[in-house]
């Protein structure tokens, strides 16, 4: 548990997993084996769950002289075009910079980053002026803090062995074990001096990590690796710096071995401080699939979209009798059973802490639309479909035609009673609409006539039972007065034009009744603004011809990112504090797609090469 705000964390990545480092210089989250593996540093969720601190300390507490009011001042930023972090610490006696990265394979560039990531965290301290005293604390706690390892001093390194992990710290300054599974040191850095450290993870009963490496060279290699994406990612739209940075964050959330994009790096960061909606987002959702694919298409290049689509098609496989799964592990795993870690106190006391996510059991009809929307968007790239893919897509369309009348858990994954969510009906409509358009590619299994009839029945049902005269808007549940921001999807998937009078009234109702200080809540009573919904509203305003309002809202929402350009899932409208898991892929996806809508408002399904050189 930490007192640091969620916004105080920066993201390091190696396309295998990621780490969070605070402004104070503490690595408080790292699950090195892969995104959803157990942590070795987990202080984000409990003070005793492990951390690795490197920070400047002010000299003493003098009562006179220039140092009397000295405190450590911190400025930080990613090196341009990278997820390599540079933090400058200033004290009354000097300045130092700490450059931090997760190592990537030597020479790996572009889409090869992460295929064989060594699971090494690099931290290089360089003196800039004067003299600065630094402090290091090393407290690995594998298995989400359940294991306090023995620390073994060996020549040139400190080995923490315990449970299923071995963590090896090597550095230019030796640390002293304190007898409780923690080691520490203080050292002085002068201008021009370089002091480096690396922390290597290995599974408990294998080798203890890669051979000794040159830390400065390894950081330089990471910089070159991330910048290599600039050669293949050539976004040609508005807000290029914002889009390119968000695309880089999505790249960092990609498990490169499979192409899956995880929803977030973390688990159990709360939607509301002290609340219980604390879930594990370290998995990949089909619910997000078409949004993710579109964002990668716009902000990156077709290679990412092809790999993501291949992962989703392989993970989904044959469509059987039961519901299509809504989410998977990064290698396509389906069983993602949820557990509560009762020994962890949670971020600022927000319990329970969960690993795994029981949403994998839910029935969510919207995923059917996500798959077929994605295929329609990729139709020019896919070429002739093989028999297995055609059968899968026809099975998804058949499933939409057969099941759209059923209640489900909805896209917000409400736990408890299933209901007739309008967003689920609209996405079933989208599945059938795109299936009809794709029928010539789908061949003999396609039943375009039956799909078209079901599509038209869904449309008539939604238009009849979703509009609520007293609310003067389309609502989130059939025959209900409950307004829900998910109805903003209706114009985004082509169900209704944003200029339709009732749709236009709905857009205003969402803005007026769910909007709060420029943020959009998912429903009335939602404790915070949901960033994706704010970006959806931007897109709807563009489609409605409200260009100036859309631009103002986009820029206001984009400014909600923290100082290194990261979004969490939600924002407290009263305080501006980030809430929920970090970094949140959907928030960055929303920014990319909204920026493209502002670039090409009349291009609802853009050609994949339209924004490339």
């Amino acid at each position: 548990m930490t007192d640091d705000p969620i916004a105080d964390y920066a993201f390091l990545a190696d396309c295998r997993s990621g780490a969070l480092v605070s402004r104070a210089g503490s690595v408080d989250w790292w699950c090195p084996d892969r995104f959803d593996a157990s942590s070795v540093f987990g202080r984000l969720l409990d003070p005793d769950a492990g951390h690795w601190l490197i920070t400047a300390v002010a000299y003493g507490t003098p009562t006179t002289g220039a140092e009397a009011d000295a405190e450590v001042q911190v400025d930080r930023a990613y090196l341009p075009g990278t997820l390599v972090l540079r933090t400058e610490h200033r004290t009354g006696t000097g300045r130092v910079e700490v450059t931090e990265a997760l190592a990537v394979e030597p020479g790996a560039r572009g889409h090869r980053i992460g295929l064989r990531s060594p699971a090494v965290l690099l931290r290089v301290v360089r003196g800039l002026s004067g003299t600065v005293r630094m402090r290091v604390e090393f407290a690995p706690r594998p298995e989400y803090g359940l294991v306090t390892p023995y620390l073994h001093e060996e020549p040139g390194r400190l080995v923490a062995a315990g449970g299923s992990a071995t963590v090896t710290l090597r550095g230019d300054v030796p640390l002293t074990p304190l007898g409780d599974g923690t080691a520490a040191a203080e050292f002085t850095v002068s201008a021009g001096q370089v002091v480096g450290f690396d922390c290597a993870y290995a599974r408990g009963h294998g080798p203890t990590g890669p051979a000794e490496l040159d830390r400065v060279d390894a950081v330089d290699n990471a910089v070159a690796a991330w910048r290599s994406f600039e050669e293949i990612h050539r976004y040609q739209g508005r807000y290029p710096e914002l889009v390119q940075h968000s695309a880089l964050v999505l790249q960092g959330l990609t498990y490169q071995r499979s192409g899956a994009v995880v929803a977030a790096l973390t688990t159990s960061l709360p939607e509301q401080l002290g609340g219980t909606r604390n879930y594990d987002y370290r998995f990949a959702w089909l619910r997000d699939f078409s949004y993710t694919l579109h964002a990668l298409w716009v902000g990156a290049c077709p290679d990412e979209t092809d790999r993501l689509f291949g992962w989703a098609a392989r993970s989904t496989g044959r469509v059987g009798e039961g519901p299509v799964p809504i989410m998977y592990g990064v290698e396509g795993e389906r069983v993602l059973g949820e557990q509560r870690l009762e020994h962890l106190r949670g971020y600022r006391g927000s319990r329970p802490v969960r690993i795994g996510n029981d949403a994998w059991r839910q029935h969510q009809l919207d995923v059917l639309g996500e798959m077929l929307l994605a295929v329609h968007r990729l139709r020019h790239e896919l070429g002739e479909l093989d028999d297995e893919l055609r059968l899968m897509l026809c099975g998804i369309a058949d499933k939409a035609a057969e099941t759209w009348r059923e209640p489900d858990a909805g896209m917000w994954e409400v736990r408890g009673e299933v209901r007739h969510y309008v967003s689920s009906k609209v996405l079933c409509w989208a599945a059938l609409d795109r299936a009809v358009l794709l029928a010539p590619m789908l061949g003999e299994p396609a039943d375009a006539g039956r799909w078209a009839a079901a599509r038209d029945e869904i449309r008539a049902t939604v238009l009849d039972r979703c509009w609520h005269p007293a609310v003067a808007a389309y609502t989130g549940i059939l025959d209900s007065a409950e307004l829900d921001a998910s109805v903003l999807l209706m114009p985004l998937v082509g169900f209704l034009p944003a200029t339709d009078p009732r749709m236009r009234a709905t857009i205003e109702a969402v803005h007026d009744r769910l909007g709060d200080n420029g943020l959009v809540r998912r429903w009335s009573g939602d404790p915070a603004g949901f960033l994706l919904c704010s970006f959806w509203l931007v897109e709807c305003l563009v489609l409605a011809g409200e260009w100036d309002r859309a631009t103002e809202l986009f820029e206001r929402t984009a400014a909600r990112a923290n100082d290194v350009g990261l979004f969490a899932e939600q924002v407290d409208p009263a305080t501006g504090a980030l809430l929920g898991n970090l970094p949140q892929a959907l928030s960055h996806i929303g920014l990319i797609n909204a920026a493209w809508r502002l670039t090409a408002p009349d291009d609802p399904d853009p050609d994949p090469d339209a924004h490339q050189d």
Side-chain angles (χ1 to χ4, degrees), residues 47-98:
D48 299 324
H51 68 283
W52 180 21
L53 173 73
I54 299 180
T55 193
V57 293
Y59 278 105
T61 54
T63 57
T64 61
E67 295 178 31
D69 298 318
E71 295 180 355
V72 178
Q73 303 294 322
V74 173
D75 289 308
R76 60 183 183 168
Y78 288 114
L79 297 180
T82 79
L83 292 179
V84 176
L85 185 69
R86 177 190 179 276
T87 303
E88 182 175 318
H89 301 258
R90 299 190 303 276
T91 73
T93 59
R95 297 183 300 121
V96 300
E97 67 176 16
V98 181

Side-chain angles (χ1 to χ4, degrees), residues 343-611:
H343 68 286
L344 295 179
R345 283 166 271 190
Y347 176 80
R348 294 196 175 185
S350 300
R351 301 182 72 187
V353 172
R354 296 179 171 97
I355 58 171
N357 195 315
D358 270 348
W360 76 273
R361 304 176 187 273
Q362 289 188 345
H363 182 32
Q364 293 181 26
L365 292 168
D366 59 308
V367 300
L368 306 175
E370 297 295 343
M371 284 295 291
L372 280 157
L373 283 166
V375 173
H376 186 255
R377 183 164 284 126
L378 275 178
R379 63 194 182 279
H380 301 305
E381 296 291 312
L382 292 175
E384 185 175 352
L385 307 180
D386 63 40
D387 289 345
E388 289 184 0
L389 183 54
R390 287 190 293 109
L391 286 171
M392 184 191 79
L393 296 173
C394 288
I396 289 174
D398 289 338
K399 183 76 71 175
E402 294 162 4
T403 62
W404 71 267
R405 298 177 184 84
E406 297 176 3
D408 72 338
M411 69 183 309
W412 304 133
E413 298 181 352
V414 176
R415 299 192 176 193
E417 180 185 4
V418 293
R419 304 179 75 178
H420 288 280
Y421 291 98
V422 169
S423 59
S424 297
K425 312 302 182 190
V426 168
L427 267 296
C428 282
W429 174 91
L432 293 164
D433 180 71
R434 299 324 192 262
V436 170
L437 295 173
L438 291 166
M441 294 179 64
L442 298 177
E444 186 177 345
D447 192 349
R450 185 167 69 93
W451 296 341
R455 175 198 62 190
D456 295 344
E457 187 178 356
I458 295 172
R459 180 180 175 82
T461 300
V462 170
L463 293 178
D464 177 48
R465 298 176 58 189
C466 175
W467 177 259
H468 196 287
V471 181
Y474 291 112
T475 55
I477 300 168
L478 293 185
D479 305 317
S480 166
E482 299 176 30
L483 191 61
D484 191 295
S486 63
V487 296
L488 295 176
L489 286 171
M490 295 166 78
L492 303 187
V493 301
F495 184 86
L496 275 176
T499 53
D500 173 89
R502 287 187 170 186
M503 191 69 238
R504 190 72 185 81
T506 300
I507 293 169
E508 291 303 321
V510 170
H511 176 275
D512 295 342
R513 300 177 207 172
L514 297 182
D516 188 347
N517 197 19
L519 297 162
V520 178
R521 302 177 191 270
R522 289 168 291 182
W523 57 77
S524 178
D526 195 8
F530 200 82
L531 285 162
L532 178 64
C533 295
S534 298
F535 287 122
W536 280 349
L537 181 57
V538 170
E539 292 197 66
C540 287
L541 289 172
V542 172
L543 294 174
E546 295 276 358
W547 188 271
D548 291 341
R549 288 178 65 195
T551 300
E552 190 275 334
L553 180 59
F554 176 87
E555 294 178 356
R556 189 173 182 181
T557 305
R560 301 288 188 172
N562 72 358
D563 61 318
V564 290
L566 299 181
F567 290 116
E569 185 176 35
Q570 296 181 262
V571 176
D572 185 323
T575 66
L578 296 184
L579 295 168
N581 287 302
L582 178 88
Q584 175 68 228
L586 269 182
S587 301
H588 288 276
I589 288 163
L591 180 145
I592 293 171
N593 291 341
W596 180 250
R597 189 75 68 177
L598 284 161
T599 299
D602 299 322
D603 194 6
D605 195 11
D607 184 273
D609 297 320
H611 56 282

